[in-house]
Amino acid sequence: MNAIRCYAVLAVGLAAALPPSAFAARLSYSEAYVEKLKGGEKTGTELLVLKGHVEFGDRTSPADLSAETVWSVALQGNLLVSGALGDGAKRSFGAKGGKSVILLSGGGTLKFAWNAEGIDFILKWKGGPGLAARYRGETTGISASGYPVDIAIGRLKGYFDVSATGQAKTRTKKGVALSSIALKGAATSAGLEAPDRDGDGYAADVDCGDFEAAINPGAAEAMLDGLDSNCDGRDSGVPEVIDTFSVGGNFTSPAVSFARPDAPGSARDFSGWDKTFVFPSVGKRSFYDPSVGNYYNDDTMTPVTDGQIIWRGWPHTGKWGFFYGSAGNRITLTLEPDASVEALGTHPAFILFWRPEGGPLTWEGTQDIDAGQTVPENSDIIPAHNMPQRADWTIRGLPAKTDHTAPSGVDTVLYPMGAASYTLYHVDAGYDADKYVAGNVLLMHSTALNSIAVSDGAAGKLSKTLVLPKDGYYLLYVGNVLELAGWSLSDSGKLQTVDEIAPPAIHIDVTISKP
């Protein structure tokens, strides 16, 4: 996924000669962009006409083209238009030839016609300006070169560098600058094989950002920064765990009561800062210990079957809440045992997720609710017993919900939201790694999850500062880690513990503040 997501207009000219063993391509182009003032508002009118021909050569034939054949046009790595030949309002397919006439949602048409020799296409575009956008507000002669253009039709792919000339003019009307731009050009071939335009060692056919060296399949993925840095289709640097819901078997966690945004006052709505909330009855074993090489859950000891080395918790022994935040908010989460309950041996822990939907959801047929029954309107759900601690968590196969849609501004490619599924995106996690009693052993060893361990010298208390990556709705899970004098695994793999030094339920105070 490219760092800049814009829908640009293609500006292409005449292609150079290509080797006869491959395929030949030719392209012609003209672009005219004019701005006018109507009703006090500045509007732009675009007319781009692109005509081209691609010979099949030895790479494909008319018989290979079908309604499923995909095509795309990109300018400097940014997608202009894409689709399938079957999208045409008029279309036909045969062993010797065919056609497809496609009405483009951005305005204009794209016509394909093919025979034994190759494919002819005409693009008439009425969207926003492409190359012309560089010269709005200027009065100058234009001479541009090396402008990359990529074209793909099924297995046919061409890479071109455009040189264009033209004129930009600007006039002022009622104090508003209005541009008119005309361009024509010629293209030289950048090769039939995918180039590596940014020199990062990854060619364009595998590099989703071939104009930015920091984006490639080998790059490190930053968390929820709006970029797919490593070209895996996700904006996340942790594994993704996918669970599938089925009524009557997989998930028996109870529905968790949340208030909708229009129902303030829920005990689980922690929106606002510098406030302290009580998580009552946080249970005993909220994490298990992966340091012994057993990737199991605490109480059920169900093996992890997704093949990913991740760490999971047990939401029955924790509590959930939510709050609303904005990208860039720097907050501090403070967790400590409530003074009203004796809590010797407890070590608070949290996991924080962002959810792009922007608010709680309700579903039919989930949790302990039978098919046909409905979760109460003020309820949200935490499906699945297993809670990933360092992973995004997607649950699929939920009953479809018609109002399960993306809020304005959310990229649904990076953050997909199906009507019958949702994903919680991992933001951060932490647990108090300070011991009360040196001779006791934590159920989670301090070496097991170094990346989320917090050792600040205050046993039983956790304080961690973090920056919220996105606007929207955050789910906060609070758990508890115990000190144990001894524990072991039974022959069946079930965890056995002795001498637990904490009551079964601990009240945890949580403060969300802005430092």
Side-chain angles (χ1 to χ4, degrees), residues 53-67:
H53 174 81
V54 180
E55 292 185 5
F56 287 130
D58 56 4
R59 296 204 171 196
T60 190
S61 70
D64 296 322
L65 300 183
S66 68

Side-chain angles (χ1 to χ4, degrees), residues 67 84-93 98-101 114:
L85 293 179
D87 297 336
K90 299 179 180 179
R91 58 188 183 273
S92 63
F93 300 90
K99 67 179 180 179
S100 180
V101 180
W114 57 93

Side-chain angles (χ1 to χ4, degrees), residues 12-20 22-27 53-54 59 146-151 157-163 185-195 197:
V12 188
L14 181 67
L18 301 175
F23 67 88
R26 57 182 180 272
L27 299 161
H53 174 81
V54 180
R59 296 204 171 196
Y147 206 58
V149 173
D150 303 338
I151 300 173
K157 296 181 180 180
Y159 303 90
F160 301 92
D161 292 325
V162 174
S163 296
T188 57
S189 173
L192 296 177
E193 302 302 326
R197 288 183 169 123

Side-chain angles (χ1 to χ4, degrees), residues 227-354:
L227 305 177
D228 175 15
S229 300
N230 64 358
C231 299
D232 67 351
R234 302 174 61 234
D235 178 21
S236 181
V238 297
E240 181 182 22
V241 175
I242 298 176
D243 284 324
T244 301
F245 170 80
S246 65
V247 175
N250 288 2
F251 307 113
T252 56
S253 302
V256 178
S257 178
F258 287 92
R260 291 179 178 276
D262 58 356
S266 167
R268 296 184 183 274
D269 185 350
F270 308 138
S271 299
W273 314 112
D274 302 313
K275 298 178 181 179
T276 299
F277 307 90
V278 178
F279 277 73
S281 302
V282 174
K284 298 188 293 184
R285 290 180 290 277
S286 299
F287 301 89
Y288 70 101
D289 181 8
S291 65
V292 298
N294 294 283
Y295 293 92
Y296 296 135
N297 306 308
D298 275 357
D299 296 337
T300 58
M301 305 307 290
T302 304
V304 172
T305 58
D306 49 37
Q308 301 179 73
I309 304 302
I310 61 169
W311 299 289
R312 297 184 173 209
W314 183 253
H316 276 284
T317 62
K319 295 293 182 180
W320 288 86
F322 70 91
F323 64 88
Y324 294 87
S326 300
N329 281 160
R330 187 168 179 261
I331 69 169
T332 297
L333 286 174
T334 302
L335 290 73
E336 56 187 329
D338 189 275
S340 64
V341 177
E342 182 181 356
L344 180 64
T346 189
H347 297 269
F350 78 91
I351 313 171
L352 185 65
F353 293 90
W354 172 71

